[in-house]
Amino acid sequence: MTSRRLGIDRSPGYGVDRDAEHSFTLDGEAHTGLSGDTVASAMVAAGELPCGPSLYLGRARGIMGAGVEEPNALLHVEPRSPGHAAESMLPATTVELVDGLRASWLQGLGRLDETPDGALYDHTRVHTDVLVVGAGPAGIAAASQAAASGARTMLLDEQPAPGGSLLSSRGERIESTDAVAWARRTVDDARTAAEFTYLPRTTAVGSYDANYVVAVENRTDHLPASERPGVSRQRVWHIRAAEVILAAGAHERPLMFADDDRPGIMLAEAVRTYLNRYAALAGEQIVVATTNDSVYSLLEDLAEAGAPPVAVVDSRPEATPRAAAVLEATGVRGIFDAVVTGSDGDGDAGRLTAVTVHRLDRDDVPVGSVETLSADLLAVSGGHSPVVHLHSQRQGGIAWDDVLAAFVPSAPVARQQTVGAMAGTWSLSRALRTGAEAGRRAAEACGFRAEGADSPSDSPQTRDPLADGPRADLDYGPVRALWLIGAPDAQDPAEWSTHFVDMQRDQTVADALRAVGAGMRSVEHVKRYTSISTANDQGRTSAVNTVGLLATVLGAGHPGQVGTTTYRAPYTPVPFAALAGRRRGELFEPARITNIHSWHADHGAVFEDVGQWKRPRYYPRTGEDMETAVLRECAAARGSVGFQDVSTLGKIEIRGTDTGRLLDRIYTGVFSKLRVGRGRYGLMCTPDGMIFDDGVTLRIADDRYLMTTTTGGAATVLDWLEEWHQTEWPELDVAFTSVTEQWSTVAVVGPKSREVISRIAPELDVSNEAFGFMAFRETTLRNGVPARICRVSFSGELAFEVNVANFCGLATWELIAEAGAPFDITPYGTEAMHVLRAEKGLIIVGQDTDGTVTPQDAGMGWAVSTTEDFIGRRSHSRPDTARQDRKHLVGVLPADGRTLLPEGAQLVGAQTPITPEEGPVPMLGHVTSSYRSAALGRPFGLAMVWDGRNRIGEVVRSPVDGRLVDVELTSPVHFDPEGTRRDG
Amino acid sequence: MTADQTTADQASAPPADLRRSPAAHLTEQMRAGDVDGPRGVRLREIPFAVQLGIRAEPGAPSGRAAAEAWGVGLPAGPRAGETVTGDPEGRHVIWISPDEFLAVEPSGLAGLIDVRGIEGALDGMPGQIVDLSGNRTILELTGPSARSVLEKGCHVDLHPRAFPAGAAASTLLGPVQAIVHRTREDVFRILPRASFADYTVRWLLDGMAEFAGEELIR
């Protein structure tokens, strides 16, 4: 292995610490690199450019870029700490080297680690006045100005150190100092301001309405593995900024020619980055191919490092002044009006050995004799593409600039600015000046003003930031873009099957032409037909090249007439684990618990999720399954006494002189005539006449009612009340407050419930005469807790509900348990509650109804007023809702007395064949509730059946486990139809 | 307060030892999660505060009557830069919406406040005053890192310029609706509904954990 690491005499090595060596393994082989290296730069320094082969064609590939643009060099990285997950598809150019890192090359395809990722990820939400994305020269200048003004300023950058393109340069000077040192110092100075935040290793991945920017910070991967309790590996930043400055830089485009994908063909800017930032020389026999002036800085740097290139192949007809000056100074041969048309490689590894060069005619066609140049490295520059992603995600306009040969931002986004290379400003001094101006403008827009409002460009001592620099203020000169570089042996681009456009997708010019041949004209269609730019590099090196070649093939005047594909978030891949953040395990979703929860848990309750609530479903005793436990709980409630925590029911207190009037309109029944001290069951309908919610509402005073709702409907019903009051009936004197959580509520149910209540509420006369059904009383319990006790029943049994202040729930529950002990009082859960109510034919909104059921359908016409107007009433007289043969709620009894029908089971006529040949099978309806009943001694259910009330007594059939079961249609009230048990 | 009222209040107040606050079962975890020092942050529950929900328009007779009964004026609202009035350690009022307020007295004097009497202050007037003492609990997050912990889940701008001491807002903390009330520069009160207190405490303790270790240097 040849070391291509250069000493300090040959390279500044801005990004590496030559004294800190790290060991790592790649494909099982031991390697070393320096602190600050990426895996890619360490391999470049080791003289090893090849990475994994290409995805579909298996062609040898090598490291091509030096950052997120990399399409080839993809890594699988083993877990960095015990319990962490392996990661795939990470560009080696972005993986910072740490000691002990283990990785392997991928062939364009990752594998998901199926072990759970035990690393920690979190989110944070911050607001700022000014957000600057990108810590290159323009971004630093902007952030420094904004921070100096006192405005809250954030500077995000994907790299570990500030400087951006400066890190890839050498000899650059700003304000009389080394440019990289200037970057560091300027950021450090800004950090002394209280309101400045610099986030390195942080990529802004998405930009959304109202300057909401999402960024992902890598926090610990670059550190030695260590236990860091509570410290996240990655953090997702949700940033809301008054002003945004985008200084995201630009990516270089490769050139598309025959066999343009060999290891050893690398973006010129990447070669320069490896040279100056990582002190790694990517090749020794170097040819440079370009369409613009940017590569001449590389030429100077290579010459200074003692590795001048063999030649520069420049597409432009003649040397620009900049090119001429550099060629003269370095003695490098310049070949103008010329192009690299092909490459040769060596064996399986395919490392570049030579390139072929042709002259170009006026139509960009290679002509004349071929010249072959030996080379182990070809540095290419096909032009530069501003990183317009975040700008474009906000629908900011972009347009083709023919001079720059680039898509640049053309129409601004409100309260956003673009500066630096991202705005097509290649020159350093202009980037500094426009950056500083943008920073000042942004701060001023937030009401801040920098003291003296100085900037690198107009303060006396730094009037010309590059005054003492060794270089002219460089631009990239005129560009002769080349989108279709002829093949020496094929005239027809449709045959150019080794001109790779998208390396990661293995798509070539021939593939793009095939899409055009198939009739595709839009770049969006070509993208999807070929898959170009759909890989995880998102086409950073291929998208604009595709547009360029389409423009040429389609005869469009310039690429702007073809347009670009849509830029979408995320800019770089984001792990799902990072998006999930802390919302995993016990923090996944809030579990709402009642004051009595601990008792349920201590007594072995199996919980059910009802909305976000944890409700006991049943309380199995040792050896009991759910069925046995529920039968026992039901038997207790019907035979003696049971109790249930019903604190989760929604409760809304309503006050005002018009409350009764409002409730008459909201409910289908009449509540204005309800007496104080009494309650009534009510149904709510939506305007289409369908059941929407139900519950019992108490009248506490003339102008005060307490409404209860279903557990899941509490918030919706409160919104419903507010909506009708605020939008339709603002004249009504009513006010609402949710009191769901003000109360803990315990239902005490069964023939012995009266005795239990009399024991806990000694001051209360609980006789049926003194305390009738649907009445309620205020009292003080034996333990001194004030309570409101209601006689309501959801089971047909004598029953009470005891309401106490929330925090007295547990004490009250325990009081009831103690008072009920002589009667073997039994806690029961939601499952037994469901059985008990279904035996009485009482519906659960959302289970037996589904938004298509009217009160009449449910057999609850008794709850519908014939005199008052209410929401949904008019719909009840629509022909379809008024017809008598709609689906009705009925009871179902499996004829064999044994089969438990599945909920959702379909019902068909007794004589209806159900073979596929006879299909489609006409359905009569379906089972909505089905349980085993202790009281009935058999399974039973409720169903919605067409014309069901007129079919009662009929036997229909239901398919269960592959056989047909006879089912009798009955009244929905299976138990105690006379209601003899309600009063005890 | 008259003697009669005191008797009536004591009758309506539950015996203290029968009460269980929504975060009581997490007292030990909260103590264990405390972090001292320059990056310190502490979490505790202030249980059993008296809380009254007020629905009334501030300028209207109901608003004036409610303010008089509670002894603290109703805040003018965020547009006027006033979201809390009164003494955060004693009686105060938090703005919820233009006609919705939460009156709070956190000092544990539940038995001495005539809740029923105040509820009746709007007799003959529109609006509503409802006892909500059990509806929410108060969690207090204190210390130099308190804001950073809250920022892990809170959408509101908590910078002192935007949310100074004495400000309050109804917002989300992670997935939980809560009222956040900054009583001092580094003291935040968080008022989740009682059923969410368990989750909210776990969420906050989780966010506090990193501050016990060394700060990551960027």
Side-chain angles (χ1 to χ4, degrees), chain A residues 592 610-613 615 648-652 684 692-695 707-721 738 740 844-846:
Chain A
R592 300 179 71 180
V610 180
Q612 290 177 313
W613 288 100
R615 298 196 69 183
T648 63
L649 280 185
K651 293 173 268 303
I652 300 165
M684 291 180 201
F692 155 62
D693 205 86
D694 71 343
M707 172 186 281
T708 61
T709 73
T710 57
T711 294
T716 317
V717 170
L718 181 60
D719 288 350
W720 186 249
L721 296 172
S738 167
T740 300
I844 294 217
V845 173

Side-chain angles (χ1 to χ4, degrees), chain A residues 593-664:
Chain A
I593 57 175
T594 71
N595 195 260
I596 309 166
H597 184 85
S598 60
W599 193 97
H600 306 318
D602 291 346
H603 289 75
V606 173
F607 289 94
E608 173 182 36
D609 292 336
V610 180
Q612 290 177 313
W613 288 100
K614 288 282 174 204
R615 298 196 69 183
R617 192 171 187 197
Y618 58 100
Y619 300 79
R621 290 182 180 166
T622 310
E624 280 187 339
D625 59 8
M626 175 165 135
E627 185 180 319
T628 327
V630 171
L631 286 172
R632 173 179 53 73
E633 291 172 13
C634 289
R638 294 237 185 267
S640 178
V641 59
F643 63 147
Q644 186 192 12
D645 180 358
V646 294
S647 307
T648 63
L649 280 185
K651 293 173 268 303
I652 300 165
E653 189 156 329
I654 310 173
R655 180 180 182 268
T657 50
D658 293 320
T659 306
R661 189 171 304 163
L662 174 84
L663 293 179
D664 288 351

